[in-house]
Amino acid sequence: QKEVEQDPGPLSVPEGAIVSLNCTYSNSAFQYFMWYRQYSRKGPELLMYTYSSGNKEDGRFTAQVDKSSKYISLFIRDSQPSDSATYLCAMSPNNAGNMLTFGGGTRLMVKP
Amino acid sequence: GAVVSQHPSRVICKSGTSVKIECRSLDFQATTMFWYRQFPKQSLMLMATSNEGSKATYEQGVEKDKFLINHASLTLSTLTVTSAHPEDSSFYICSARESGGQETQYFGPGTRLLVL
């Protein structure tokens, strides 16, 4: 069993839909949680960074962490075709700068 | 924001040659840089962690003599793939952690290596 599980998709939604992306994990030591967006043939771009449990909102993006369930989510409101990319969750036990463990990524396609 | 560059973005080489990839933090100092490898439709796999001025720490299964890492300054790390073989063809991505910053990793755009 992988430490971080993420549905690979692809997830196809119409433009304007609310998108829910999720990761589950098994290591209870993880404290820092991140979401990265990766366009094809490009490096990952940091979208959201959260410490411990709770919600964090940034524009159309909301990150949720439920440590009791070992479950994290990224919500995208009013999805746009430009949101089409692979979304990677990542987590770390000590601080967000070291020992990142990545999920396999979910490929999202937003259709106009 | 923090910007990380990589050069070259794409390289094609013959089997047996060595290839050097540069990773630079453009607007911040990075005491720690990381090198990842990513196969098509797969996630990033950490290869090694390099700290400025010291030897890199390699992940299990990564040959340190094949993947030479040098982190000579706070803004530059290099990965040299020595005696490259077709199975080394992959997407290599570096990241840098900003010293004293939010402690997150900022990723470069990646280098696509094709060994013929």
Side-chain angles (χ1 to χ4, degrees), chain A residues 70-99:
Chain A
K70 296 190 180 67
Y71 187 89
I72 69 170
S73 300
L74 177 70
F75 297 96
I76 306 174
R77 290 182 297 281
D78 188 25
S79 56
Q80 303 295 310
S82 58
D83 294 328
S84 298
T86 295
Y87 289 80
L88 300 157
C89 64
M91 39 198 84
S92 174
N94 44 26
N95 64 54
N98 285 327
M99 296 175 61

Side-chain angles (χ1 to χ4, degrees), chain A residues 36-110:
Chain A
Y36 287 88
R37 176 175 63 195
Q38 185 177 24
Y39 291 112
S40 180
R41 300 174 184 263
K42 300 290 184 183
E45 170 193 8
L46 180 66
L47 281 177
M48 301 286 285
Y49 159 79
T50 312
Y51 169 69
S52 195
S53 286
N55 294 357
K56 186 173 184 179
E57 188 174 321
D58 184 0
R60 296 185 296 112
F61 300 92
T62 300
Q64 285 186 354
V65 175
D66 182 350
K67 290 188 67 181
S68 62
S69 301
K70 296 190 180 67
Y71 187 89
I72 69 170
S73 300
L74 177 70
F75 297 96
I76 306 174
R77 290 182 297 281
D78 188 25
S79 56
Q80 303 295 310
S82 58
D83 294 328
S84 298
T86 295
Y87 289 80
L88 300 157
C89 64
M91 39 198 84
S92 174
N94 44 26
N95 64 54
N98 285 327
M99 296 175 61
L100 285 183
T101 301
F102 282 88
T106 298
R107 186 171 160 224
L108 171 67
M109 295 186 296
V110 181

Side-chain angles (χ1 to χ4, degrees), chain B residues 58-70:
Chain B
Y58 290 81
E59 295 299 300
Q60 192 172 11
V62 178
E63 298 175 57
K64 59 181 68 176
D65 293 330
K66 181 167 185 63
F67 298 99
L68 301 179
I69 292 172
N70 184 281

Side-chain angles (χ1 to χ4, degrees), chain A residues 36 38 41-44 46 49 88 95-100 102-104, chain B residues 32 34 36 38 42-44 91 93 97 102-105 107-109 112:
Chain A
Y36 287 88
Q38 185 177 24
R41 300 174 184 263
K42 300 290 184 183
L46 180 66
Y49 159 79
L88 300 157
N95 64 54
N98 285 327
M99 296 175 61
L100 285 183
F102 282 88
Chain B
T32 305
F34 305 84
Y36 294 83
Q38 186 178 34
Q42 294 188 26
S43 192
L44 288 77
F91 193 49
I93 306 174
R97 190 184 77 173
Q102 197 181 16
E103 303 290 351
T104 54
Q105 290 185 32
F107 285 82
R112 187 159 300 280

